[in-house]
Amino acid sequence: MSWLRALRAITARVAMWPRATGTWLGERFELEDSLMAVLRHPVPRELERPIGWWYVFGSATLAIFVLQVVTGVGLAMTYVPAPNSAYDSLQFISHDATLGSVVRGMHFFGAAAMVVLVLIHMTQVYLFGAFKFPREANWLTGSLLLLATLAMAFTGQLLRWDQDAFWSIVVAAEQAARAPVIGNWLASLVVAGANVGGATLTRFYATHVFLIPAAVFGLIGLHLYLVIKRGISEPPVPGVVIDRPTYRGRYEAMLRRGIPFWPDAAWRDAVIAALAVLAVAILAAIFGAPELGKPPDPTNVIADPRPDWYFLGYFAILALIPPATESIVIVGLPLFAFIFLFLVPLLWPDGERHWSRRPAAIAAVALPLIAYASLTVAGIESPWVPKLEGGGVPVAVTQGLPDAPLRGANLFGSKSCFACHAIAGAGGRRAPDLTHIGSRLNRDQLTSRIATGGGGMPAYAGSLTPSELEDLVAFLLVRR
């Protein structure tokens, strides 16, 4: 039985290794005075009510960000940020690389999860009045993190370098050009030159992989510092208001009867963070990486590039607003949202915190949420996007046409003219209806307009041969 005693002795020593390792690390790095002091900082208890499940979304967002960094590094090992290789490298990752589809799927679903979680976290903070004194700076850094998250999601979509990504860059540059005074400079900054090309992709890659993550790391560090320094806000109680002269003393009293963050409160954060990561992994395992669209083709003018679902509401706004108001909405809407975010803690730093005593705060959350959800549904349905038979003009329009107009009708479909123009009730809505264009313009006028563009229409002189231009004009002339 000596071997049994020896096995027990070895097992006992192995069981001591984690504790001994922790003790060794703690002594060498003085973790008890640094890391553990932070983890065990007290969290408040207001009227014997500790913080609960509503306080977990910040930690879940942080966990998803770490997941994004890990999967992003994995993708960067294979992704080639060059116009001639980016699309093919993503196809290789999605279909041929070992676990490539899962890793890219986790990065894709992780981006959506991070956007959703950071919005939920900020909504909870806003409704609980946790942005009020003395935590105004917490809200400001959180607002910057929200903007950085949206920017990271948008730039990540453009790295797919498919048709949607290409034209999304064009749309982004057009919107940037609407800004007064600095519009042309912003458009040039977005495109990295005069035209979308290799420099554009390189700029978006560097922004997505280096610039924005570096900013997010710095903002997270500052945000966590402020959370630890100012303390986690106590659960709001109806009728208990923020009174700046007395608040700090009352908060210190709550901390004295509070609970340590680790492990009494942190277990909730750990559970929700693990569930969020698990949900992303399951979605990636089931659905894999999203399929790419067609390779980018500058000559195929598609007027309605479709972004990821969390940007569909804004996509719908751009499609639905009248052309005369585009500049006002494109510049004014983001500016208003930005100003509102940063004025919230400065305009309402004290007073009631509980959401039931702040109906205006409920309306400020509910109304935009309902409106954006409705716009997202509209963006999914996209009634302004043409639905044509087989990707071309309707058969009723082409039936019985002579050879030249028939070839022109096929060009009208293959060059995606229908994406902007409608004929016989089918096609886009963003440009004039061409059902009876032959009655309004003659051959020379149609030729000049197609070749030179104007009024928001691109010039097709470089993408159509003379014979193709003649066929297209012949087709439009029969529209009487």
Side-chain angles (χ1 to χ4, degrees):
M1 299 298 289
S2 59
W3 64 269
L4 183 58
R5 288 194 297 273
L7 180 61
R8 288 175 178 173
I10 293 173
T11 303
R13 291 193 176 188
V14 170
M16 294 174 59
W17 286 352
R19 186 180 183 87
T21 302
T23 301
W24 189 91
L25 291 173
E27 290 177 349
R28 271 65 178 179
F29 292 94
E30 298 183 357
L31 298 179
E32 190 67 29
D33 297 329
S34 55
L35 179 62
M36 296 310 298
V38 171
L39 290 176
R40 291 173 181 165
H41 74 277
V43 294
R45 190 191 289 259
E46 173 69 20
L47 301 180
E48 304 306 318
R49 294 168 52 200
I51 63 173
W53 290 98
W54 285 110
Y55 286 74
V56 300
F57 297 106
S59 298
T61 306
L62 178 60
I64 294 297
F65 173 69
V66 173
L67 176 69
Q68 290 300 93
V69 171
V70 173
T71 55
V73 169
L75 293 174
M77 296 289 185
T78 306
Y79 179 77
V80 182
N84 296 331
S85 305
Y87 186 87
D88 292 335
S89 67
L90 278 178
Q91 290 285 39
F92 172 79
I93 291 172
S94 302
H95 301 290
D96 299 313
T98 303
L99 294 178
S101 178
V102 175
V103 173
R104 184 167 167 250
M106 291 180 70
H107 200 70
F108 172 77
F109 289 109
M114 190 169 174
V115 171
V116 171
L117 286 171
V118 74
L119 287 172
I120 293 176
H121 178 54
M122 291 199 70
T123 301
Q124 177 264 320
V125 170
Y126 179 70
L127 290 179
F128 278 37
F131 61 86
K132 294 179 180 290
F133 176 85
R135 300 179 181 87
E136 297 94 334
N138 300 46
W139 174 269
L140 297 177
T141 55
S143 298
L144 291 174
L145 281 169
L146 170 63
L147 298 177
T149 299
L150 295 176
M152 191 156 53
F154 180 70
T155 54
Q157 175 188 337
L158 304 185
L159 296 184
R160 297 170 200 164
W161 207 243
D162 56 5
Q163 193 77 321
D164 280 353
F166 182 90
W167 288 106
S168 291
I169 296 174
V170 175
V171 171
E174 289 178 349
Q175 292 183 60
R178 305 296 182 98
V181 182
I182 61 171
N184 291 334
W185 176 81
L186 284 178
S188 178
L189 183 66
V190 170
V191 178
N195 300 301
V196 178
T200 310
L201 179 58
T202 301
R203 176 159 297 181
F204 275 100
Y205 178 78
T207 302
H208 182 76
V209 174
F210 300 111
L211 185 60
I212 299 178
V216 171
F217 273 115
L219 288 169
I220 287 176
L222 179 58
H223 193 69
L224 291 177
Y225 168 80
L226 291 170
V227 169
I228 301 300
K229 193 70 176 177
R230 297 300 180 196
I232 298 175
S233 65
E234 71 280 10
V237 177
V240 178
V241 300
I242 296 292
D243 179 58
R244 288 191 236 185
T246 62
Y247 177 79
R248 293 185 184 277
R250 185 168 64 85
Y251 186 77
E252 290 295 331
M254 284 186 281
L255 290 184
R256 285 194 292 271
R257 61 176 184 271
I259 57 176
F261 176 74
W262 177 269
D264 295 47
W267 69 269
R268 295 187 183 89
D269 297 64
V271 168
I272 298 301
L275 288 176
V277 173
L278 182 62
V280 169
I282 290 174
L283 289 172
I286 294 175
F287 299 104
E291 288 296 329
L292 298 176
K294 294 180 180 180
D297 180 7
T299 66
N300 188 9
V301 185
I302 296 179
D304 294 291
R306 296 179 63 82
D308 288 332
W309 66 266
Y310 36 86
F311 289 125
L312 276 176
Y314 187 67
F315 162 78
I317 292 175
L318 297 180
L320 293 172
I321 56 177
T325 64
E326 284 183 350
S327 295
I328 298 175
V329 174
I330 289 172
V331 176
L333 188 60
L335 184 62
F336 171 78
F338 182 84
I339 292 175
F340 177 79
L341 276 177
F342 286 88
L343 285 183
V344 161
L346 305 179
L347 295 179
W348 301 284
D350 44 26
E352 276 282 356
R353 288 185 56 224
H354 199 272
W355 56 269
S356 65
R357 301 294 184 93
R358 295 161 53 223
I362 298 175
V365 170
L367 295 180
L369 178 62
I370 294 172
Y372 198 80
S374 302
L375 288 168
T376 300
V377 172
I380 294 172
E381 297 177 351
S382 299
W384 54 86
V385 175
K387 297 177 176 62
L388 304 179
E389 301 175 11
V393 295
V395 174
V397 174
T398 60
Q399 191 171 12
L401 288 178
D403 290 343
L406 182 59
R407 291 194 299 268
N410 293 331
L411 284 170
F412 192 86
S414 64
K415 294 299 182 180
S416 296
C417 303
F418 62 86
C420 293
H421 298 279
I423 287 183
R429 303 179 183 178
R430 295 187 63 83
D433 191 309
L434 302 183
T435 302
H436 305 295
I437 187 65
S439 301
R440 302 196 303 271
L441 300 179
N442 59 34
R443 181 181 298 273
D444 291 339
Q445 290 171 324
L446 285 171
T447 302
S448 175
R449 187 57 182 270
I450 296 172
T452 60
M457 175 179 170
Y460 280 87
S463 58
L464 289 172
T465 65
S467 60
E468 288 176 333
L469 182 56
E470 289 180 7
D471 291 341
L472 187 55
V473 170
F475 166 64
L476 295 176
L477 284 174
V478 303
R479 304 306 308 164
R480 298 180 181 273

